[in-house]
Amino acid sequence: MAEENQTKKLSIIAFSGDFDKLTAVFTLATGAAAAGYEVNLFFTFWGLDAIKIKQGRSPVGQGFLPKMFGIFMGGLKSAPVSRLNFAGISPKIFRYLMRKKNVATLEELVEAAKQLDINFYACEMAMHILGLSKSDFIPEVKDVLGVTTFLNLSEGGQTLFI
């Protein structure tokens, strides 16, 4: 029989930098944290774009190719919708609809995640490939982790890949 005092835990691997997928990551994370869950977010590859200090299309990273990725991506404000992006208009439409329907925007969800003390972690391997360092990320990033360490942190809870 499971202990009733056992901590509820949700760990989410944020692989995508798409607006709709990041919205799902932060909606699930903040909802779980508000319900008393320990929440761990592991940002890897394009998901790392959501937690960079420099938002907008800027050359971030060490070396020519990583800097080009920084220019092509662009952070939360430039995150495309995964389908039917319509040359970048769709995220603007989604934000408009979210405000009109009194639903938290992606940026508001990220701020709520910070306020709820959700654990933010960056993937060591993806950072190495993309030429990024911990100083490229928001201060709420607790640590840079390898996969094994993240899996150990996630043990005993549910893990989602988005």
Side-chain angles (χ1 to χ4, degrees):
M1 185 169 177
E3 282 185 42
E4 286 187 35
N5 292 339
Q6 189 175 13
T7 302
K8 298 180 284 184
K9 188 186 302 188
L10 177 64
S11 298
I12 302 174
I13 301 164
F15 173 77
S16 175
D18 292 338
F19 176 89
D20 46 330
K21 293 176 184 175
L22 288 171
T23 299
V25 166
F26 285 100
T27 299
L28 290 165
T30 55
Y37 281 67
E38 173 190 323
V39 180
N40 300 303
L41 299 179
F42 184 70
F43 296 89
T44 187
F45 287 100
W46 309 127
L48 288 167
D49 206 43
I51 56 171
K52 287 182 185 171
I53 288 176
K54 277 191 175 178
Q55 291 294 307
R57 299 186 186 285
S58 59
V60 177
Q62 299 298 315
F64 176 74
L65 290 175
K67 287 182 185 211
M68 291 306 296
F69 279 129
I71 291 170
F72 291 134
M73 294 302 286
L76 293 176
K77 296 200 187 283
S78 301
V81 173
S82 61
R83 290 186 174 189
L84 305 173
N85 191 44
F86 298 118
I89 295 169
S90 291
K92 291 173 179 58
I93 293 169
F94 270 113
R95 284 184 178 92
Y96 167 78
L97 290 171
M98 293 166 100
R99 283 189 298 274
K100 185 175 178 171
K101 301 289 183 179
N102 202 27
V103 173
T105 63
L106 176 56
E107 292 79 10
E108 292 167 338
L109 289 167
V110 172
E111 286 307 310
K114 293 174 184 177
Q115 297 301 314
L116 289 164
D117 292 325
I118 288 173
N119 300 311
F120 289 59
Y121 299 104
C123 175
E124 181 178 42
M125 181 195 68
M127 286 174 56
H128 181 66
I129 291 169
L130 296 171
L132 300 169
S133 65
K134 190 169 187 263
S135 63
D136 292 318
F137 300 108
I138 59 176
E140 289 79 11
V141 173
K142 257 183 146 168
D143 207 353
V144 174
L145 306 177
V147 171
T148 304
T149 305
F150 178 73
L151 291 173
N152 287 335
L153 246 170
S154 302
E155 192 173 344
Q158 295 217 333
T159 303
L160 303 174
F161 182 88
I162 301 175

